[in-house]
Amino acid sequence: MKKLNYKIFFSDLVKAFRGDGFFRRFTPIVRERISFPFTKVDYGRNKSDNESGGSQLKIWCTNDYLNMSHDDDVIDEMVSVIRRVGTGSGGTRNISGTTPYHQRLEKTLAELHNKEGALIFNSAYLANQTSIWTVCKALNDICVFSDSLNHASLIQGIKNSNSECKIFKHNNLEDLEKLLKETDINRPKLIVFESLYSMDGTIVEVDKYVALAKKYNALTYLDEVHAVGLYGDKGRGIAAKLGVADQVDIINGTLAKSFGQIGGYIVADSYLLEYIRSFAPGFIFTTSIMPSVAAAAAKSIELVKEADHKRSHVMKHAKYLRDKLTSYGIPFIDSESHIVPVMAFDSELAKSYSKKLNEEYGIYVQPIFYPTVSKKSARLRITITPKHNKQDIDELVNALAMVTGKMLPKNNTTESNVKFSSASI
């Protein structure tokens, strides 16, 4: 057997990936508090003035949905804790890495979701991956039912467990029930799904999933990462909005989106939470998040619960954006969420749209393509924050119309030729 040249092997994989049009470039964004949504790109001091941030761009693809990373009270909380206890936590949760700030945050999260307890992880990805793996490993012969568009972290947790997995069509309750019916009622089962799918903006009827789980004796694992903070009373999430948060077995969320910090968490009742806390390697064997981050996150949640005006602004302006896109005949995936995916379909076309928006109109929105979404469904994923207004949206849509060739509003455009459901993509 010929000796493997590792450098050539991996370089060829990247070359092929680049040749297929799926290679990604990372843009160094300077997202300043005072100027947002205006931002700058900083490629470093050795680049030209233009490349080093001489011109401003207006950003349309942040996941800091409520601009809480820029909130003065949240920043003050973080800084004060850093000055008191320093930057790091000092260890894992069982070796000096548990502080009153971590405990306060977990209590706050449990209350937010109407659960008996919470566990903080270093990211929502880690929380999903390790929690699903840990639960599945405990249940002999468990069968997992996973939505076809579930996030990579959910999929990885299922794969790591080596459990049988039956994939149901995206947000299709009939297909899910068909698969549940085919499975022995006495066999352990876990339904894994999201309340809001971030690439399509699909909002899920969580209550109906809970009803199916009860009917077929299944546990439920719900990812609320893109919903918590924005939906339901006081931003408690879609499960709470539908009155079933207390009936979902495990809810996953993030501190990094609507709350503007970093880290993830799960909430559950004590019997599940204590099991995961005791047996999950991704919780036990990793240094805990910074105390200052925990404190800032708790403060952010406190403020977000009272931020109905921000939630209303985002939803109202997302609808305004959808209406404007419709009037121009620009294709997008229609939903009632705050996420508006504008479709390019081809990855090179999505990159071209993004480049032209950047260079010709001062607009920053990253192209999304495979493997984040399926092939031939590339898009620009647009999100609106409380700091975007209608004039900003008008400028965005006018620029989109120019780069996509939809230069004049089409008053007679029918909904069927400009809007798409996620099932059609």
Side-chain angles (χ1 to χ4, degrees):
M1 180 182 291
K2 185 178 179 181
K3 185 169 69 173
L4 179 64
N5 185 311
Y6 297 105
K7 182 177 181 179
I8 292 174
F9 175 80
F10 287 108
S11 296
D12 285 348
L13 289 178
V14 174
K15 188 185 297 182
F17 195 66
R18 190 192 296 266
D20 289 336
F22 302 132
F23 188 76
R24 298 161 189 267
R25 297 188 183 279
F26 298 145
T27 305
I29 293 294
V30 182
R31 200 170 55 91
E32 294 178 351
R33 293 170 57 205
I34 297 173
S35 62
F36 189 88
F38 284 104
T39 188
K40 292 181 180 180
V41 176
D42 187 353
Y43 288 101
R45 295 182 179 179
N46 294 328
K47 300 292 183 177
S48 68
D49 290 340
N50 186 51
E51 286 180 316
S52 64
S55 60
Q56 287 192 323
L57 302 172
K58 196 169 286 186
I59 190 167
W60 285 98
C61 53
T62 181
N63 282 342
D64 185 9
Y65 294 139
L66 295 175
N67 304 129
M68 293 307 294
S69 70
H70 289 164
D71 185 90
D72 288 338
D73 291 335
V74 173
I75 293 169
D76 288 345
E77 182 75 6
M78 178 176 281
V79 171
S80 68
V81 173
I82 288 174
R83 293 194 179 283
R84 182 183 179 192
V85 303
T87 55
S89 71
T92 62
R93 287 295 299 272
N94 67 318
I95 306 178
S96 79
T98 294
T99 71
Y101 307 106
H102 294 84
Q103 293 176 322
R104 177 193 169 201
L105 175 56
E106 288 177 336
K107 183 177 180 181
T108 299
L109 289 166
E111 187 280 329
L112 181 72
H113 290 283
N114 192 25
K115 289 293 185 183
E116 292 178 359
L119 289 179
I120 310 166
F121 291 78
N122 292 50
S123 71
Y125 191 108
L126 178 61
N128 278 338
Q129 185 182 31
T130 199
S131 297
I132 291 172
W133 177 86
T134 303
V135 168
C136 289
K137 281 292 187 181
L139 294 166
N140 186 42
D141 196 34
I142 189 172
C143 185
V144 182
F145 301 82
S146 177
D147 188 289
S148 63
L149 293 187
N150 271 344
H151 189 265
S153 58
L154 300 168
I155 296 169
Q156 195 61 53
I158 297 167
K159 285 183 175 180
N160 288 352
S161 73
N162 291 320
S163 303
E164 181 182 2
C165 180
K166 297 183 178 181
I167 299 172
F168 58 92
K169 296 173 185 175
H170 176 52
N171 197 29
N172 190 317
L173 287 157
E174 291 182 1
D175 193 44
L176 172 58
E177 182 161 25
K178 175 178 174 292
L179 295 173
L180 287 165
K181 278 182 179 178
E182 296 170 356
T183 309
D184 186 344
I185 189 68
N186 295 317
R187 187 179 180 186
K189 291 177 283 293
L190 176 67
I191 303 172
V192 179
F193 63 111
E194 302 178 37
S195 63
L196 198 167
Y197 285 81
S198 65
M199 289 299 123
D200 288 15
T202 310
I203 296 177
V204 168
E205 295 175 299
V206 177
D207 53 334
K208 294 184 178 179
Y209 284 80
V210 169
L212 277 182
K214 289 182 177 180
K215 183 177 178 180
Y216 293 98
N217 192 32
L219 290 169
T220 46
Y221 189 103
L222 174 65
D223 185 311
E224 287 252 47
V225 160
H226 292 275
V228 69
L230 276 168
Y231 298 83
D233 178 51
K234 297 185 182 297
R236 298 179 189 274
I238 289 171
K241 181 179 180 180
L242 296 173
V244 293
D246 61 326
Q247 299 173 55
V248 177
D249 293 296
I250 302 173
I251 296 175
N252 165 264
T254 185
L255 307 172
K257 294 182 171 60
S258 289
F259 303 130
Q261 309 308 308
I262 189 68
Y265 63 88
I266 60 166
V267 292
D269 288 340
S270 295
Y271 77 98
L272 275 172
L273 203 71
E274 287 302 316
Y275 168 73
I276 294 170
R277 187 176 75 88
S278 301
F279 291 92
F283 177 79
I284 298 168
F285 299 109
T286 188
T287 300
S288 62
I289 65 172
M290 295 163 58
S292 57
V293 171
K299 183 65 176 179
S300 181
I301 294 167
E302 174 190 321
L303 296 172
V304 166
K305 286 168 66 176
E306 305 305 320
D308 286 342
H309 60 292
K310 288 189 174 184
R311 284 183 279 275
S312 176
H313 177 104
V314 169
M315 299 307 169
K316 182 174 69 174
H317 285 72
K319 182 181 185 305
Y320 181 76
L321 170 58
R322 292 193 296 269
D323 290 344
K324 290 283 289 188
L325 292 170
T326 299
S327 72
Y328 275 86
I330 297 172
F332 67 98
I333 300 178
D334 194 20
S335 74
E336 294 183 358
S337 81
H338 65 289
I339 296 168
V340 183
V342 172
M343 301 306 297
F345 302 104
D346 178 76
S347 61
E348 289 301 324
L349 194 57
K351 292 179 192 177
S352 174
Y353 289 167
S354 175
K355 189 169 187 274
K356 288 179 180 178
L357 287 170
N358 184 331
E359 295 177 353
E360 299 176 19
Y361 298 95
I363 288 171
Y364 178 78
V365 54
Q366 275 294 91
I368 305 291
F369 46 87
Y370 179 82
T372 305
V373 295
S374 61
K375 293 178 180 179
K376 303 300 180 184
S377 67
R379 64 199 64 184
L380 303 178
R381 176 185 176 273
I382 296 169
T383 55
I384 294 171
T385 77
K387 292 186 178 181
H388 291 99
N389 57 39
K390 286 186 176 181
Q391 181 180 338
D392 295 326
I393 294 170
D394 290 341
E395 293 173 359
L396 170 66
V397 176
N398 288 339
L400 281 168
M402 295 298 290
V403 302
T404 61
K406 307 284 187 179
M407 288 174 281
L408 293 173
K410 296 184 178 181
N411 296 325
N412 62 346
T413 300
T414 60
E415 290 190 4
S416 62
N417 65 5
V418 297
K419 300 181 182 180
F420 299 84
S421 70
S422 60
S424 69
I425 302 302

